[in-house]
Amino acid sequence: MNKFAVIVLSSAALAASALAKESATSRLRPASERFADLAKAEDPSFRRHVVPLMSRLGCSGRECHGAFSGQGGFRLSLFGYDFEKDHKAITQDSDGGEAEVRVNLKEPLESLIVTKGAMLTKHKGKERFKKDSWEYNLLLKWVQDGAKLDVEQTGDFDRLEVFPKEIVFQKAGDVVQLKVLAHWRDGTIEDVTQITRFRSNDDSVAAISDTGKAESKGKGDTHIVAFYDNGVLPVPAMLAMSEFTGSKYPKVPTKTKVDEMVVGKLRKAGIVPSEICTDSEFIRRVSLDLTATPPTPDAVRAFLADKSPDKRAKKIEELLKTPDYAAWWTTLLCDFTGNNPRQLNTGGDLQLNDRFSRQWYDWIYKRVNENTPYDQLVAGIVLASSRSRPDQSYEDFAKEMGSYFRDDNRADFACRDNMPYFWVRQNVRKAEEKALAFAHTFLGVRIECAQCHKHPFDQWTQTDFKQFQAFFEPVNYGGRGESKEDVNYASLSRAIREKIGYDQKTDKNRNMLRTEMQKMLRAGEMLPWQEVYVSQRPQRKMSDKEIERMKQRDPNFNGRVITPKILGGEEVMLNSFPDPRGPLMDWLRAKDNPYFARALVNRAWAVYFGRGIVEPADDMNLANPPSNKELMDHLATGFAAHGFDMKWLHREIANSDTYQRSWKTTPSNKLDEKNFSHAMIRRLPAEVVFDSITIATASASGQKKFNEDLDNRAIGPNASISGKTRGGDNYTLSTFGKPARLANCDCERTSDPTLLQTLYTRNDPSFLQLVDSQKRDGSGWIDELRRATSPESSPERIKAELAKLEAGKARLTEQRTERANGKLLAEKDRQKFEAQMAEVDERIARAKKTLASSQSGGAAVDFDRSIEEVFLRTVARPPTKEEFAKAKQDVDAAPNKVDGVRELLWVMLNTREFMVNH
């Protein structure tokens, strides 16, 4: 017997063993047996049998009566989640009277709910079951028994169980029958296989029939998802990609726990992973993923020359200590949290949205740079209020805010304990908007569907959404109207208006008001600031209309007060908490929280691999399970156990062989896109494209300066600020898919190639300026080559230039001494002088090197080395012998060798190898 047969039989044996343990008296037979004979049929339940059956038959699906407008004047809730509403729709007409045509209690056989499905009456939905079938008998028996609504009598649904728990097919065409058990809180267990709705997540791998028969269609792995009542349960299903399974599987080293989990799945799926990538591939890949910055040519040369066995681990540690690492992962966290200055247009006449956005970035950057535990970072956002302390007066708050914007001795906003701007945005002013943003950002969950109806792929109902939303009802932004403090928002606003003579009704002296407020801002004086605050008020009572709507959607809803309830958790009485977000934060940190740690783990994994363990990375729901559950559990549990240490997570991923595999595939893994058996070729993110082009075209000193000054970087704090010339231009970044940070969706960041991207790297003026170095006033590499080979590079001219530089250095030293003696040297001036001095010293050293070369009769430029430099600058590897020979031939044939190098640089910037991470 082969391995596949053993696995399938083992699954069946386990299922039989588990079922045998259930009490025969508490487990009810399948519907096909219980309703086969109408005369002996048991009493069917509306909730347990009628609604699930109609869902399985498609009656309450999107294409039929579950559509928003229904069909033929008959509308059911989508997938049958709203029992009371559906019962009313089936048993009553639009005027509230008895619907004799749908449910005829006097003549049950004439009920359309029975006759239409059996096509005894004309039906656009065609035949759904045969006359006298068990489905026919079930519906007819329910009508005969009075078509009762029995939600209260059935009690609460507990859980779903499916056997076998995993399907491993032997060959295409194999069929496995699933068995689904519904467990109810009253102890009842029922075989509901025939009234369960099934779905395959990939029909090309496994198809599923209405009756739960899973059929292998092709090689690969997927999940079969079972839906019954409020239960959603996925079952893995696979057919091995090759004969290499079990004892035939080659020995693959698993040096880390991540590798164990990944190779364990690959062994089962018959997928042999790729080899480990080359050193040049690794240093470019890890540098781009960890720091969004390509390695310098010198860094590549040094890494390739290093023969130590642990050099990759050392490189990871080195990169984790760089400002680039902190800047890139701050940029990504700003994506997830929605840092968009246009949504922060809250300063009124002050127009401080760009500065708020910069403070948001700086606040996160400080914590990423210091490796603050992720849960603490999130707590600083989730629990944030504008006042830095609960007992802080409005007057002190206004003074504190002024200190962050004054010209002299400005305070550092990043040193605040919390960052309230997440709650300030214009697109999260309503409680439901806050709930959606919170779920997406910190849970990686999309719950928009539950605003209107039950989530089609998860357990959330509209009642769940309303109860979750209640946490955010007391969270407000604005001027506190109820404040009784002597100095408050209203009093400060009034004082400034009176001082200027501004009339709100006529808008007279508006410009004077703006000018005066800007002066006060620069001086650090008190201004009226709106604030994020929590209202101390009782939980909101619902109106009669709201109660009626909620009852229609959820028959269990029976209260006027919405009691907050965490997703999938317990109800919370907010009167016990000064801030309703407190219990939410406690829940995020809870050991058994199913989302918080997984959300960041999954997003980080998606950055490294181009897709999440759950894909899409921000859509974790029961019907969209992880492609490798053990891997997800290991990383999420480990992340939490290590105190939500973000660097632990990066090390755990980047040090694995799984991350370091080659992009070159094996015969068995060339079609694999979700089991991480090889590196996926990924298009570079927008910010990485822009910065990589800038770095590739800059001189050595320009590269150093660019890397050290984050304000220049597309991953820096200025990249999101409109109209800024530093930090990348918005057109280029948007062309390559930078997210707008407007929607609760990670899909805003795109990596799809477009025609505009191709045109940009072919002939866009800003791109050509970078290549030709016209934009950096001579700090570009090609410009440097031109100077070194021009007639002006004679020894005499170089000596004259050297003398000028040394004279300039002397003047700088003299100015610094004078200011220091006069005690006028502020910290920012000192830093400026040091930067200027370092630049002058570097230019002097470069001039001396050029002078020595020219005096010794050597060539000013080694063009063979320049050819190698082009490859190292763009794709972080030396050219092959064939590439070098071809490039040298083209450079030598050019009228000017510098122009030849320039053309080679342009060509390499337009290669696919440069534009992707592999």
Side-chain angles (χ1 to χ4, degrees):
M1 185 180 295
N2 64 31
K3 182 69 175 178
F4 286 141
V6 171
I7 293 173
V8 172
L9 291 176
S10 296
S11 297
L14 286 171
S17 175
L19 290 171
K21 294 178 181 178
E22 302 287 356
S23 168
T25 56
S26 65
R27 181 158 35 90
L28 302 176
R29 293 173 299 150
S32 60
E33 297 178 17
R34 298 171 65 192
F35 304 104
D37 186 343
L38 183 62
K40 300 178 181 178
E42 303 173 22
D43 295 339
S45 161
F46 180 73
R47 177 176 182 176
R48 295 186 181 184
H49 304 122
V50 175
V51 170
L53 176 60
M54 295 184 74
S55 176
R56 198 266 284 172
L57 294 173
C59 305
S60 56
R62 290 190 183 95
E63 295 79 18
C64 200
H65 301 291
F68 182 75
S69 56
Q71 289 286 348
F74 178 32
R75 180 187 175 192
L76 295 171
S77 63
L78 185 62
F79 303 128
Y81 73 94
D82 194 329
F83 305 114
E84 186 171 320
K85 176 184 174 183
D86 288 350
H87 185 268
K88 187 178 293 185
I90 293 170
T91 59
Q92 295 181 0
D93 60 26
S94 58
D95 297 323
E98 251 189 75
E100 296 285 342
V101 290
R102 290 188 196 125
V103 171
N104 191 330
L105 297 179
K106 295 179 180 178
E107 298 291 340
L109 288 171
E110 302 300 320
S111 299
L112 289 183
I113 191 176
V114 176
T115 60
K116 284 214 166 191
M119 277 298 286
L120 303 177
T121 305
K122 186 177 179 181
H123 184 214
K124 286 185 179 180
K126 300 181 180 179
E127 184 180 78
R128 314 309 293 179
F129 47 80
K130 299 290 185 182
K131 185 178 182 296
D132 297 326
S133 64
W134 67 265
E135 296 98 330
Y136 178 92
N137 291 341
L138 188 157
L139 295 173
L140 179 58
K141 178 64 173 174
W142 176 68
V143 176
Q144 289 175 340
D145 288 347
K148 300 170 185 174
L149 175 66
D150 60 352
V151 174
E152 292 185 7
Q153 290 80 1
T154 56
D156 293 333
F157 174 81
D158 183 24
R159 60 189 172 90
L160 211 57
E161 197 171 14
V162 180
F163 299 97
K165 296 184 180 297
E166 181 182 64
I167 305 170
V168 181
F169 295 110
Q170 298 182 55
K171 62 183 183 303
D174 278 358
V175 176
V176 173
Q177 175 65 58
L178 296 181
K179 183 180 285 287
V180 184
L181 299 182
H183 293 253
W184 296 84
R185 291 285 174 84
D186 63 5
T188 302
I189 303 172
E190 181 175 359
D191 184 337
V192 294
T193 307
Q194 294 161 327
I195 49 177
T196 293
R197 181 167 56 89
F198 295 98
R199 188 192 78 176
S200 171
N201 284 351
D202 188 345
D203 289 322
S204 68
V205 174
I208 185 74
S209 72
D210 290 344
T211 56
K213 289 184 178 180
E215 181 180 358
S216 173
K217 292 294 185 181
K219 295 178 179 180
D221 63 293
T222 186
H223 284 84
I224 303 294
V225 188
F227 302 85
Y228 174 84
D229 199 270
N230 204 32
V232 182
L233 189 64
V235 176
M238 69 175 66
L239 175 63
M241 295 294 294
S242 72
E243 71 277 14
F244 300 113
T245 60
S247 60
K248 295 182 180 180
Y249 196 76
K251 187 174 181 179
V252 178
T254 53
K255 68 178 186 180
T256 70
K257 197 70 176 176
V258 166
D259 297 324
E260 287 181 26
M261 303 299 177
V262 172
V263 173
K265 172 75 181 290
L266 297 179
R267 184 180 292 110
K268 193 181 297 182
I271 298 174
V272 179
S274 298
E275 297 295 325
I276 302 302
C277 66
T278 65
D279 282 345
S280 59
E281 288 173 334
F282 171 78
I283 189 174
R284 183 172 188 263
R285 181 190 300 174
V286 75
S287 297
L288 293 174
D289 285 339
L290 261 181
T291 69
T293 306
T296 64
D298 287 344
V300 176
R301 292 188 183 103
F303 188 75
L304 297 182
D306 187 354
K307 301 304 179 184
S308 59
D310 60 345
K311 67 179 183 179
R312 294 193 178 192
K314 287 180 178 177
K315 176 56 67 174
I316 291 168
E317 290 303 315
E318 175 190 321
L319 294 173
L320 285 171
K321 295 174 183 177
T322 62
D324 302 341
Y325 156 74
W328 175 228
W329 288 88
T330 294
T331 297
L332 294 173
L333 288 172
C334 284
D335 287 348
F336 305 147
T337 53
N339 180 3
N340 182 326
R342 294 177 184 84
Q343 293 299 318
L344 294 170
N345 190 16
T346 57
D349 291 306
L350 293 174
Q351 297 295 309
L352 297 175
N353 45 320
D354 284 346
R355 296 173 76 172
F356 284 166
S357 179
R358 171 65 188 257
Q359 290 175 342
W360 186 331
Y361 179 97
D362 290 343
W363 190 90
I364 293 180
Y365 177 88
K366 176 178 172 63
R367 282 143 187 84
V368 176
N369 190 49
E370 295 173 351
N371 200 33
T372 299
Y374 178 65
D375 65 319
Q376 293 181 27
L377 185 154
V378 170
I381 298 174
V382 170
L383 301 176
S385 295
S386 292
R387 302 194 193 189
S388 54
R389 305 184 314 276
D391 61 344
Q392 186 180 39
S393 67
Y394 186 85
E395 181 176 359
D396 288 341
F397 158 64
K399 289 178 180 177
E400 180 187 335
M401 287 301 294
S403 72
Y404 299 133
F405 296 93
R406 64 194 176 204
D407 288 344
D408 297 327
N409 195 26
R410 182 175 298 167
D412 188 356
F413 180 88
C415 292
R416 277 181 55 114
D417 289 337
N418 59 51
M419 195 284 297
Y421 297 143
F422 179 85
W423 307 106
V424 168
R425 295 174 294 162
Q426 292 176 332
N427 56 352
V428 293
R429 296 294 171 81
K430 298 177 181 177
E432 59 265 33
E433 293 169 342
K434 292 181 176 72
L436 293 172
F438 181 95
H440 168 262
T441 302
F442 305 116
L443 305 177
V445 172
R446 302 178 188 176
I447 57 172
E448 290 90 339
C449 296
Q451 284 182 281
C452 302
H453 54 75
K454 183 186 180 298
H455 196 295
F457 306 126
D458 215 312
Q459 59 187 329
W460 321 126
T461 65
Q462 190 181 44
T463 300
D464 292 322
F465 182 86
K466 290 288 185 183
Q467 289 185 295
F468 183 62
Q469 173 188 317
F471 282 105
F472 307 99
E473 292 279 1
V475 182
N476 298 281
Y477 175 72
R480 290 203 199 191
E482 76 278 9
S483 176
K484 297 179 181 180
E485 298 173 280
D486 292 336
V487 177
N488 55 46
Y489 178 78
S491 67
L492 279 179
S493 300
R494 185 167 54 251
I496 293 174
R497 290 196 302 267
E498 291 174 354
K499 177 181 178 181
I500 301 301
Y502 172 67
D503 187 339
Q504 275 187 302
K505 293 182 180 179
T506 63
D507 206 25
K508 183 181 178 181
N509 294 331
R510 163 70 73 175
N511 290 335
M512 288 179 62
L513 178 65
R514 289 173 176 166
T515 302
E516 181 63 24
M517 291 183 72
Q518 288 291 343
K519 288 181 180 178
M520 295 175 68
L521 182 71
R522 291 193 297 271
E525 297 179 25
M526 280 200 304
L527 288 168
W529 297 93
Q530 293 183 324
E531 58 179 314
V532 175
Y533 63 95
V534 175
S535 298
Q536 300 301 322
R537 61 187 183 187
Q539 298 168 29
R540 182 174 69 85
K541 291 186 177 182
M542 301 183 71
S543 66
D544 291 337
K545 288 185 177 180
E546 286 180 307
I547 292 173
E548 181 60 30
R549 284 199 298 269
M550 293 302 294
K551 281 186 174 182
Q552 289 176 358
R553 295 185 173 97
D554 184 355
N556 293 322
F557 183 80
N558 59 4
R560 285 184 172 275
V561 176
I562 298 179
T563 304
K565 179 181 177 183
I566 57 180
L567 287 175
E570 301 298 324
E571 292 183 345
V572 178
M573 301 310 296
L574 293 188
N575 294 335
S576 306
F577 299 90
D579 188 331
R581 299 167 298 177
L584 272 182
M585 193 63 230
D586 292 341
W587 173 61
L588 293 185
R589 286 174 161 145
K591 187 176 181 180
D592 59 350
N593 184 287
Y595 304 108
F596 181 56
R598 284 169 172 76
L600 187 71
V601 163
N602 198 46
R603 281 172 164 144
W605 189 274
V607 171
Y608 287 105
F609 290 88
R611 64 168 290 136
I613 305 172
V614 171
E615 183 66 18
D618 62 337
D619 191 17
M620 292 196 290
N621 63 69
L622 294 176
N624 185 32
S627 60
N628 190 321
K629 183 179 182 300
E630 291 75 15
L631 174 64
M632 175 68 90
D633 290 345
H634 162 67
L635 289 173
T637 303
F639 181 45
H642 284 81
F644 298 98
D645 182 343
M646 290 185 281
K647 287 189 177 181
W648 175 88
L649 178 60
H650 294 305
R651 291 188 191 101
E652 192 73 2
I653 296 173
N655 278 307
S656 68
D657 283 349
T658 300
Y659 173 70
Q660 297 179 23
R661 296 207 178 278
S662 172
W663 58 273
K664 297 175 183 177
T665 58
T666 66
S668 64
N669 77 359
K670 61 183 178 180
L671 298 179
D672 176 37
E673 293 185 351
K674 59 185 175 183
N675 290 304
F676 318 112
S677 60
H678 61 89
M680 298 294 292
I681 296 176
R682 299 167 275 135
R683 194 150 185 101
L684 297 180
E687 299 89 340
V688 183
V689 170
F690 187 89
D691 282 356
S692 295
I693 292 172
T694 305
I695 292 170
T697 56
S699 65
S701 61
Q703 287 179 339
K704 182 179 179 182
K705 183 178 179 181
F706 184 75
N707 283 334
E708 289 175 350
D709 186 0
L710 287 177
D711 282 353
N712 282 317
R713 300 290 302 274
I715 59 172
N718 290 325
S720 296
I721 299 176
S722 58
K724 291 285 185 181
T725 56
R726 305 178 77 193
D729 67 82
N730 289 328
Y731 169 75
T732 303
L733 294 175
S734 62
T735 296
F736 283 92
K738 179 178 172 62
R741 300 173 180 170
L742 288 171
N744 293 316
C745 185
D746 290 4
C747 60
E748 278 195 311
R749 179 178 288 281
T750 61
S751 58
D752 297 330
T754 66
L755 179 59
L756 275 179
Q757 294 170 5
T758 303
L759 292 175
Y760 174 84
T761 55
R762 293 292 192 277
N763 55 18
D764 186 88
S766 63
F767 172 78
L768 296 178
Q769 283 180 340
L770 288 171
V771 175
D772 292 328
S773 311
Q774 298 171 14
K775 204 169 186 178
R776 288 187 297 270
D777 300 324
S779 63
W781 183 51
I782 297 299
D783 221 33
E784 190 176 58
L785 293 180
R786 292 192 195 284
R787 286 197 305 273
T789 57
S790 70
E792 296 182 355
S793 296
S794 64
E796 291 74 19
R797 287 186 177 273
I798 296 172
K799 288 178 182 178
E801 177 66 22
L802 191 56
K804 287 182 181 179
L805 289 172
E806 289 176 337
K809 179 179 178 179
R811 283 196 301 272
L812 276 174
T813 304
E814 185 179 348
Q815 290 173 8
R816 176 175 180 172
T817 303
E818 289 176 356
R819 292 199 180 189
N821 291 338
K823 298 182 180 180
L824 298 174
L825 193 65
E827 175 63 19
K828 63 179 181 180
D829 292 327
R830 185 186 64 78
Q831 293 175 354
K832 181 179 179 182
F833 273 120
E834 288 179 356
Q836 289 174 333
M837 191 66 73
E839 184 176 354
V840 171
D841 284 340
E842 191 166 346
R843 291 177 66 185
I844 289 173
R846 194 164 60 242
K848 286 180 177 179
K849 182 179 179 181
T850 305
L851 178 61
S853 178
S854 63
Q855 287 176 334
S856 64
V861 175
D862 181 347
F863 283 101
D864 284 359
R865 187 174 175 84
S866 296
I867 291 172
E868 181 188 68
E869 185 91 357
V870 169
F871 280 81
L872 292 173
R873 283 168 169 268
T874 54
V875 293
R877 63 172 177 83
T880 63
K881 290 182 179 180
E882 294 77 10
E883 289 170 334
F884 179 82
K886 176 61 175 157
K888 181 173 174 57
Q889 180 182 350
D890 291 341
V891 169
D892 290 343
N896 181 310
K897 286 192 175 184
V898 174
D899 289 340
V901 173
R902 186 260 182 208
E903 289 304 306
L904 177 61
L905 178 61
W906 179 88
V907 168
M908 291 303 296
L909 290 173
N910 275 278
T911 60
R912 182 168 182 259
E913 187 177 357
F914 172 76
M915 281 294 174
V916 300
N917 192 353
H918 55 81

